[in-house]
Amino acid sequence: MSRNSPNTLYRYCRSIRWLVFVALTGTATLSFAWSDHTLGTWQALAAMPAIAAAPPVAAETLDAFLAAEDTGLQALLAQEEQWARRYVPAYPPRPDALQFQAGGPPATRRQRFMAALRINPDCQLPLFLQMRPGTQPPPGSNLPWTEVTTLRRDTTARETQYQRLRPGEQVAVLEVIASASGEPDDGLDIGLWEDNGTPYGHLYGFGKQPFGDPALEFSTQAPFHMGFFHESWIIYKAAGFLRRTYPEYRIHLYRSLAAYALKSGHPYWGWRFAGWALHYVQDLTQPYHATVLPGVGTARMLWINALDIAGRPGAKDRAIRLVSNRHLALENYQYHRMRDAYLHKNPTDALLRATRNTSKDAAQAPWSDATPRQVVSQQAHDWADRTDRMLEHALPAKYISDPAYVLEQTEPDIDLFAVMQRAPQAMQDDMTQLVSDLMQHFGTQSRVFIASFLPKP
């Protein structure tokens, strides 16, 4: 039978679909795209004078904002739904029953708003700021991490100090955006699918989770934080569920809310919503969130699947484990190195300097609705194979080339930054260069996005 016959193509597509699904089931359980976005946002926006030197804003409760703006929000959210239905591929329409209505019972206003956004209703959304590593909140203002996140296995949150804010308290714009940029990893997108076993998942209309393990808490947020927009045609033919990723939906929704709040006199929520949107922009700068299997091209996928069909699954299992380990290794190193720089008050650390580096900002086009797909994720996708190769050379083989090693499980408390400080200098330099390049992308795209809220010069 011809290799190009419909039956042969069907078999290849079916096997590739399985490979991609299994791979994403593994990688979607990973902790973060960038571990603790706030560490990077502080640096990225400190290089924007209009943000770093902006007058402070008064903290405002979500309930106060909603009470003042429910009529305008009804119209805005109706417009957002129409935009998403028109422009977001494979968008699952919001059920009409969840449309936000002005003038409803005040006691249910917050609940109805969160339902219209289709976010986790268990999120408390307190007034807070995240403290820099090594600093403490003012006396009497400590906020338990359990009030910030719904995740109970979030070790990053447990290591972090939070300050509770009072309504009306003056806070720096930079601190509001930076703190908010971590919030989408604190539970906003957890349990939203109909097979996640949550009451709201059955109501929100997203359907069944397209990939990842629907029984694992953190895995349920993955399709909102990844964007696979640049794979080959045969990958989409085989794995159509890859089109069901929705960072563009979240970015546009929260950006519109931010612009509305800023225009209507609610700067605190304007910048907080901007921070929420920024999170998904930053996620798309991570190569492992913009490419299904970095380092595994289409031709190799076909070969791996041919071996799997022939009863030799070893190549498939190895590819999936190595991609997962490298994904985690990149995030682990980035988190521990940046946190160490804050703890030791070292602003000259290469990663912090790279995130503040504005040398490529002017070459970027102004923000548009097409930017997440055509610019941010395209850049990350273009860097995916390079990132995978450089990790293979820069990190000890034990962590990224041994399929018997499961990163952060074989050694649960592994700190790859500490490991690399004992590595040969050439390997240290390669790792520094790779992650610095990626963090410069993170910083540049963060500034381009936030600049879209500023008055034109």
Side-chain angles (χ1 to χ4, degrees):
M1 180 180 292
S2 168
R3 290 185 61 186
N4 295 321
S5 70
N7 287 339
T8 302
L9 180 60
Y10 171 76
R11 288 201 303 273
Y12 274 125
C13 286
R14 183 176 61 180
S15 58
I16 291 175
R17 174 185 174 87
W18 179 244
L19 170 64
V20 171
F21 184 84
V22 172
L24 288 178
T25 297
T27 59
T29 64
L30 302 181
S31 53
F32 299 97
W34 293 112
S35 294
D36 194 347
H37 286 238
T38 301
L39 299 179
T41 305
W42 276 320
Q43 299 299 313
L45 302 190
M48 296 184 71
I51 296 298
V57 297
E60 180 183 26
T61 67
L62 178 60
D63 293 328
F65 168 65
L66 297 179
E69 299 297 335
D70 65 343
T71 300
L73 289 171
Q74 175 180 321
L76 176 73
L77 294 178
Q79 293 169 5
E80 280 301 295
E81 179 62 18
Q82 293 307 309
W83 181 90
R85 292 185 184 190
R86 182 173 181 180
Y87 293 110
V88 178
Y91 176 72
R94 185 186 64 201
D96 291 341
L98 299 183
Q99 180 178 345
F100 184 74
Q101 298 287 347
T108 64
R109 187 183 288 122
R110 173 192 283 241
Q111 176 186 353
R112 290 183 286 110
F113 177 74
M114 295 175 77
L117 269 55
R118 292 195 281 184
I119 61 176
N120 180 355
D122 295 330
C123 292
Q124 299 183 51
L125 305 180
L127 297 179
F128 79 101
L129 293 180
Q130 180 170 327
M131 307 301 296
R132 285 169 170 75
T135 65
Q136 298 289 326
S141 66
N142 182 67
L143 178 68
W145 67 270
T146 52
E147 294 187 35
V148 176
T149 178
T150 65
L151 301 168
R152 294 300 172 255
R153 298 180 62 186
D154 187 350
T155 55
T156 300
R158 294 183 186 195
E159 293 175 342
T160 303
Q161 296 290 319
Y162 299 96
Q163 177 187 347
R164 187 190 303 275
L165 297 175
R166 302 181 306 276
E169 186 171 353
Q170 296 292 306
V171 289
V173 168
L174 173 58
E175 300 299 327
V176 175
I177 302 173
S179 298
S181 72
E183 281 190 90
D185 275 341
D186 289 328
L188 291 184
D189 296 316
I190 295 296
L192 308 186
W193 309 94
E194 68 180 42
D195 52 350
N196 291 162
T198 63
Y200 52 93
H202 288 284
L203 300 175
Y204 279 0
F206 285 118
K208 292 185 177 180
Q209 188 172 323
F211 56 82
D213 188 338
L216 293 178
E217 182 183 46
F218 202 85
S219 175
T220 66
Q221 79 169 30
F224 295 95
H225 295 243
M226 296 177 165
F228 304 114
F229 306 137
H230 309 288
E231 304 293 338
S232 69
W233 71 269
I234 196 170
I235 301 302
Y236 293 122
K237 179 77 173 178
F241 59 82
L242 291 178
R243 300 185 186 278
R244 296 178 61 207
T245 55
Y246 302 115
E248 293 168 298
Y249 158 55
R250 287 303 198 208
I251 292 168
H252 197 277
L253 173 64
Y254 297 145
R255 188 187 182 285
S256 296
L257 282 166
Y260 176 87
L262 289 170
K263 185 177 180 179
S264 60
H266 302 274
Y268 172 83
W269 275 102
W271 293 121
R272 188 161 172 179
F273 285 136
W276 289 11
L278 180 61
H279 178 100
Y280 302 87
V281 176
Q282 294 169 343
D283 271 354
L284 291 179
T285 68
Q286 220 281 33
Y288 289 91
H289 273 231
T291 304
V292 173
L293 288 170
V296 184
T298 303
R300 188 177 168 204
M301 280 193 201
L302 291 171
W303 174 243
I304 288 172
N305 277 282
L307 293 174
D308 191 49
I309 292 171
R312 298 167 60 187
K316 178 191 72 177
D317 296 340
R318 176 183 173 84
I320 292 170
R321 171 52 54 210
L322 297 189
V323 168
S324 297
N325 278 354
R326 292 171 190 185
H327 184 166
L328 261 182
L330 176 60
E331 297 165 9
N332 182 291
Y333 176 89
Q334 168 262 322
Y335 170 72
H336 285 290
R337 179 162 182 172
M338 294 186 82
R339 189 169 189 275
D340 182 83
Y342 281 100
L343 287 171
H344 290 94
K345 297 180 172 54
N346 180 19
T348 63
D349 175 80
L351 268 59
L352 270 58
R353 285 191 288 109
T355 312
R356 298 193 304 268
N357 187 341
T358 63
S359 63
K360 297 182 179 179
D361 291 12
Q364 300 291 307
W367 184 268
S368 75
D369 291 345
T371 301
R373 180 181 293 255
Q374 296 181 6
V375 178
V376 184
S377 69
Q378 181 69 67
Q379 181 183 55
H381 179 75
D382 291 344
W383 271 73
D385 289 348
R386 185 188 328 184
T387 298
D388 193 75
R389 288 193 305 270
M390 293 182 71
L391 287 173
E392 188 173 8
H393 290 296
L395 287 172
K398 168 184 176 181
Y399 303 107
I400 43 79
S401 296
D402 180 0
Y405 187 91
V406 182
L407 202 76
E408 296 189 352
Q409 292 185 32
T410 302
E411 298 176 86
D413 297 323
I414 186 70
D415 175 347
L416 284 182
F417 175 56
V419 169
M420 288 304 296
Q421 289 179 302
R422 302 188 295 271
Q425 189 62 48
M427 295 177 69
Q428 292 189 47
D429 292 345
D430 286 347
M431 195 64 182
T432 295
Q433 187 62 58
L434 168 63
V435 185
S436 293
D437 286 341
L438 296 177
M439 292 311 298
Q440 184 173 7
H441 299 168
F442 175 106
T444 292
Q445 301 302 345
S446 296
R447 288 185 290 273
V448 169
F449 177 75
I450 292 299
S452 71
F453 295 97
L454 301 177
K456 298 293 187 293

